[in-house]
Amino acid sequence: MAKWRSILRVSATAGIGFALIAGCGNAANNATNNAGGGAAKTTSPGINPAQVQGSITFITHRTDLVANGTFQKWANQFKKLYPKVTSVKFQSITNYADDVKIRLNSGAYGDALMIPPGVTMQQMPDFFEPLDNLGLDDKTYFGRYDAYQGKTYGLASGVDGNGLVYNKAVFKKAGLSGPPKTLNEFYKDCAKFKKMGITPIALNYEAKWPLGVWDQLAPAIAKNANYFNTLKNNSAPFTPGSPIAQNLKIAYTIVKNGWAEPDFKVTDWEGSKSDFAKGKDAMMLLGNWAISQFESKGIASKNVGFVPFPYDNTGKHMAIIGPDYFYGVAKNSGNKPTAEAWVKFMIEKSNYANSQGFIPTLKSQKATLPQIAEFEKTASKLLQSVPGDSTVTQIENTAQIDIGGGGYVQSLLNAPNFNQYMAKLNQEWNSAKQQVSP
Amino acid sequence: MLLSYKQQKLIIIVGFLIIPLALLVTFSFYPAVKLLYLSFTSWDGLSPTAPFVGLHNYRIIFTNSTMWTVFLHNFSYFIGGIVQNLIALFFAVILNSAIRARNLWRVLIFLPYVLNSVAISYMFKFVFQDTGAFNLILQHVGLSGLAHSWLGNTQIVNWTLAFVSLWKFMGFNMVIYLAALQSIDNELYEAATLDGATSFQQFRFITLPNVMAIVQINMLLTVSGALEVFDIPFVMTNASPDTATFVTQTVNTAFTFNNYGLASAMGVVLLIIVIIVIGIQRKLLGGGEDVI
């Protein structure tokens, strides 16, 4: 879904100052190279090394990695693989999603770049080159996610899991043996933390995008990865008791009982990260990408845990994994073979995914972030998110209900009555649905 | 080739005007015309074509009540603007008389206007946080009972933001009033003092009538500023539902919801509203000379 990705967009750009585990990263990189069973110079189908030459421009949202030279290190690795390449130039943009969309209009958007959210599948062929000849479609997670009419236009740069990040030390202090396994246990833990004077769960209302997670568990609750796309036929999706309403009810309950930060409307993201690292917050509902950001604020890795959120009382919960930004090759690039080789290199050989705390896109690579093992073990099933239906996106835009964006959740948390607000959302959804597909 | 005086004059005028006019047309007129055009389409920002939808966007704006409830938030800035004008006039009158270091005071009051708006908003965001400088100062002087959640409390937050706007623009208003006051002939005041008028009477019968046209201009700026405020709520509170204004909603509509057609229509509607409000204001505050 486009909105899922927009969270990750802003999350990644908001995370300045990642702790780069360059050393470990390289070791893991070499290990997977050898495990892959191929020498570094294996020719891939469709990439002719003789054509990989010259220079390309790569546009990325990771201003921090360009500034601290990490991308240059990967560029040097790339040049060793393909000696005819003269240079890889990097452009990093802070307000990536919005600014790059404008550049797409202008026709000058580099050779390789991250695909911004908001580009519909029908628009993909207008702006990006098909990437099927890289041979990665079936070897990667979400290989067919950015596909249109049988061709893939984007390959994920990393995979995120959505789940509860918790402070193990704080849990121990409260005398709890582990993270909550049912929804009732979660509520009980919240009450306990509040009595101890610790913020049970930080919401980050002010930044808006962190609230976007509070409807993303709906596919797991509905046991249907395609849940959001079915909403195009649903004229009252927010009826209390429906999967998305159940999900939102949890956030509403947290605020009603005062289990969020005391000044939850005002705390900013950076301050909130520090609060979590210092032990003032017990939990946050985010993704594995946030873990390295917390560690860079001073919390030890062994004190950070990551489990799927217990959205009901069955004791077994699915976890949703979704793609982070996609790599794309510009349709009007002057050096397509090199740009494609760069994308392939970033996915297969660079340690981008692991060093940033993602699950690697390549299925054969193992995630090195220790918390991911805990996450995968606790989840009853990993549900892969599916591409968003453009009709649903249109209804969302017309009703201005940004599922996954967090804006309408802000209004929900202000509302005095949950059921009344759900009825209002139903009304807006229905009238937008009539407008979009009468 | 000998050019006549008239021809030379023409060439010089055209030569000087051509660059500014070109910039004006490119960056002001063309976008305005394009905006009007886009308001009749449903462009999503990326497609090469913009499908024509006639008055559909305008119909949405006028039938959707959520578009208009945000004007309640703009109202706080309007009231703040009126207070701002009163305070500016007060300071202008005081700093127009002969007091010590009056140039220093004038500079200090005007300085906020020179500062970058985003920087000011960012700074005040930290000042008004629950654990920020303002509450800390209140605690230190023993007024901790007055400490509130300036940005968190739904009732107060818009007034907090209106205060930031007041802080920034009061100096600008004051400078304009100062200029107007200095254009009033001093002999009028001397004559009035000789005749025994109190300073309040002098203010009411000499200062105010002469300054009325300038008050009108400042009110025009205040009203249009209040209707168009964007940067303060956007930076300080990320334009949350408590503090959203019409322009932040417009920006949201365009960039978050990919609805450039509707956002353009909102822009045009805002222009119409400003024209109507200014028209009403001119009728109420009386004609005065056409200073604009």
Side-chain angles (χ1 to χ4, degrees):
Chain A
M1 298 140 269
K3 289 303 165 344
W4 159 274
R5 299 197 278 176
S6 70
I7 308 172
L8 305 171
R9 250 25 16 95
V10 188
S11 66
T13 45
I16 18 174
F18 272 58
L20 223 290
I21 332 157
C24 316
N26 276 332
N29 191 25
N30 289 331
T32 51
N33 263 343
N34 294 331
K41 297 246 175 101
T42 308
T43 324
S44 340
I47 296 215
N48 186 349
Q51 286 183 327
V52 180
Q53 58 183 350
S55 92
I56 54 167
T57 305
F58 177 60
I59 309 185
T60 171
H61 58 298
R62 296 307 303 273
T63 51
D64 49 338
L65 297 182
V66 174
N68 67 11
T70 314
F71 265 110
Q72 192 52 47
K73 280 205 211 93
W74 286 323
N76 295 338
Q77 257 183 292
F78 182 66
K79 283 196 275 193
K80 277 209 207 74
L81 274 186
Y82 298 99
K84 285 211 237 156
V85 172
T86 52
S87 77
V88 181
K89 297 200 209 68
F90 298 106
Q91 287 179 12
S92 63
I93 302 180
T94 315
N95 191 15
Y96 193 81
D98 293 337
D99 291 359
V100 162
K101 252 200 278 189
I102 301 179
R103 288 185 67 158
L104 286 184
N105 263 319
S106 73
Y109 46 104
D111 299 293
L113 67 162
M114 318 303 287
I115 300 183
V119 182
T120 65
M121 290 305 145
Q122 289 87 337
Q123 293 167 330
M124 285 287 177
D126 298 329
F127 297 106
F128 301 105
E129 273 290 297
L131 296 175
D132 304 281
N133 59 338
L134 295 184
L136 289 173
D137 292 2
D138 300 312
K139 300 224 202 93
T140 57
Y141 289 109
F142 305 107
R144 295 243 129 238
Y145 194 95
D146 261 6
Y148 183 65
Q149 293 183 340
K151 301 210 186 87
T152 300
Y153 292 93
L155 292 170
S157 60
V159 176
D160 284 319
N162 194 344
L164 196 64
V165 183
Y166 67 99
N167 189 327
K168 289 188 180 165
V170 169
F171 266 74
K172 220 183 285 173
K173 199 158 62 147
L176 296 164
S177 56
K181 295 195 197 53
T182 66
L183 189 57
N184 285 340
E185 198 183 329
F186 170 73
Y187 289 147
K188 270 209 283 275
D189 291 349
C190 282
K192 191 157 196 201
F193 283 119
K194 174 148 189 214
K195 268 210 209 79
M196 289 170 58
I198 299 178
T199 301
I201 179 159
L203 291 182
N204 268 301
Y205 175 103
E206 196 252 355
K208 201 196 302 193
W209 59 263
L211 291 177
V213 296
W214 288 102
D215 52 26
Q216 295 300 297
L217 294 169
I221 298 177
K223 299 203 193 356
N224 179 359
N226 205 28
Y227 172 70
F228 286 122
N229 292 337
T230 63
L231 295 185
K232 71 175 170 196
N233 296 321
N234 190 334
S235 56
F238 295 96
T239 314
S242 75
I244 194 170
Q246 276 184 47
N247 200 174
L248 293 170
K249 189 86 201 281
I250 302 176
Y252 194 79
T253 312
I254 291 175
V255 169
K256 259 295 172 296
N257 287 305
W259 291 330
E261 313 97 299
D263 51 350
F264 75 101
K265 283 199 184 172
V266 177
T267 38
D268 70 310
W269 169 239
E270 292 293 325
S272 184
K273 284 196 286 191
S274 300
D275 285 346
F276 183 84
K278 286 196 215 129
K280 285 209 217 138
D281 302 335
M283 303 178 265
M284 267 207 234
L285 181 60
L286 292 166
N288 49 294
W289 51 264
I291 296 177
S292 34
Q293 291 196 35
F294 291 140
E295 290 176 8
S296 76
K297 290 282 179 179
I299 187 172
S301 175
K302 66 172 167 56
N303 279 331
V304 183
F306 185 54
V307 289
F309 187 85
Y311 46 80
D312 60 27
N313 290 315
T314 60
K316 295 201 325 177
H317 306 102
M318 292 192 261
I320 301 188
I321 56 172
D324 198 80
Y325 267 112
F326 284 82
Y327 294 114
V329 168
K331 192 171 180 68
N332 59 358
S333 159
N335 194 345
K336 288 191 194 150
T338 315
E340 292 177 359
W342 170 256
V343 169
K344 195 168 160 72
F345 162 78
M346 282 300 286
I347 293 181
E348 288 186 331
K349 306 232 167 54
S350 83
N351 62 339
Y352 172 76
N354 267 327
S355 65
Q356 302 312 308
F358 295 125
I359 300 172
T361 321
L362 214 52
K363 290 187 191 160
S364 56
Q365 280 184 7
K366 259 198 93 37
T368 54
L369 193 67
Q371 285 83 0
I372 298 204
E374 178 189 4
F375 181 70
E376 291 182 346
K377 208 169 43 154
T378 322
S380 64
K381 183 172 160 183
L382 288 182
L383 209 60
Q384 284 189 37
S385 66
V386 299
D389 183 300
S390 65
T391 313
V392 177
T393 312
Q394 263 187 298
I395 302 179
E396 287 175 12
N397 283 343
T398 310
Q400 300 210 344
I401 297 177
D402 48 343
I403 296 183
Y408 78 105
V409 182
Q410 280 185 325
S411 304
L412 164 70
L413 296 179
N414 275 350
N417 183 308
F418 182 77
N419 291 343
Q420 252 177 15
Y421 192 75
M422 289 291 119
K424 179 166 170 292
L425 286 179
N426 271 338
Q427 230 181 355
E428 291 173 3
W429 183 269
N430 192 23
S431 80
K433 181 167 165 286
Q434 312 273 15
Q435 276 181 48
V436 168
S437 48
Chain B
M1 184 176 69
L2 227 50
L3 297 169
S4 75
Y5 176 69
K6 210 161 168 220
Q7 284 172 319
Q8 289 180 33
K9 197 162 108 167
L10 187 65
I11 292 183
I12 291 197
I13 292 178
V14 169
F16 272 107
L17 280 184
I18 201 148
I19 294 184
L21 278 183
L23 290 173
L24 187 68
V25 167
T26 316
F27 294 109
S28 275
F29 291 163
Y30 171 65
V33 171
K34 195 79 195 274
L35 186 91
L36 193 59
Y37 165 69
L38 280 178
S39 69
F40 295 114
T41 72
S42 63
W43 192 47
D44 67 352
L46 274 179
S47 318
T49 59
F52 187 75
V53 288
L55 290 176
H56 177 72
N57 291 324
Y58 292 96
R59 225 173 287 138
I60 294 182
I61 294 177
F62 286 106
T63 55
N64 188 345
S65 64
T66 48
M67 301 266 176
W68 302 93
T69 48
V70 289
F71 276 115
L72 285 173
H73 303 150
N74 288 79
F75 186 70
S76 312
Y77 296 93
F78 174 65
I79 301 291
I82 295 184
V83 172
Q84 167 191 314
N85 269 288
L86 293 174
I87 300 181
L89 189 54
F90 173 71
F91 276 119
V93 167
I94 291 185
L95 293 180
N96 195 30
S97 55
I99 63 172
R100 287 178 64 172
R102 72 172 182 186
N103 278 330
L104 174 66
W105 302 126
R106 288 180 184 179
V107 167
L108 284 179
I109 295 182
F110 187 64
L111 222 43
Y113 181 71
V114 172
L115 296 175
N116 178 286
S117 199
V118 173
I120 292 178
S121 308
Y122 207 61
M123 170 188 81
F124 270 110
K125 183 172 160 170
F126 287 105
V127 167
F128 282 121
Q129 287 222 328
D130 286 17
T131 50
F134 195 64
N135 281 341
L136 272 173
I137 291 181
L138 286 178
Q139 277 177 11
H140 271 263
V141 299
L143 289 172
S144 53
L146 285 181
H148 286 98
S149 176
W150 302 105
L151 295 178
N153 187 326
T154 317
Q155 315 291 345
I156 304 181
V157 62
N158 280 306
W159 302 105
T160 311
L161 299 183
F163 169 74
V164 176
S165 178
L166 188 156
W167 186 84
K168 177 166 191 208
F169 288 107
M170 198 265 289
F172 176 71
N173 282 8
M174 184 198 75
V175 161
I176 297 189
Y177 284 134
L178 261 179
L181 288 175
Q182 286 172 355
S183 74
I184 302 178
D185 202 349
N186 239 349
E187 294 182 0
L188 286 172
Y189 289 109
E190 287 175 12
T193 322
L194 282 176
D195 283 347
T198 68
S199 49
F200 181 68
Q201 282 174 322
Q202 289 181 19
F203 177 75
R204 195 168 148 222
F205 293 110
I206 303 179
T207 316
L208 263 187
N210 283 302
V211 158
M212 212 17 115
I214 303 297
V215 170
Q216 261 219 354
I217 295 183
N218 272 328
M219 282 311 296
L220 189 155
L221 293 173
T222 300
V223 164
S224 62
L227 286 170
E228 292 164 5
V229 64
F230 168 74
D231 44 9
I232 294 178
F234 191 73
V235 173
M236 286 183 73
T237 54
N238 207 13
S240 68
D242 290 335
T243 57
T245 64
F246 194 76
V247 178
T248 64
Q249 272 221 349
T250 307
V251 168
N252 246 356
T253 306
F255 297 111
T256 309
F257 297 110
N258 288 329
N259 200 340
Y260 287 71
L262 182 59
S264 306
M266 287 170 81
V268 174
V269 167
L270 183 64
L271 173 66
I272 297 177
I273 294 177
V274 170
I275 293 179
I276 292 179
V277 172
I278 299 299
I280 296 179
Q281 177 202 285
R282 282 189 67 120
K283 279 255 154 27
L284 285 181
L285 281 187
E289 314 137 40
D290 261 11
V291 192
I292 302 165

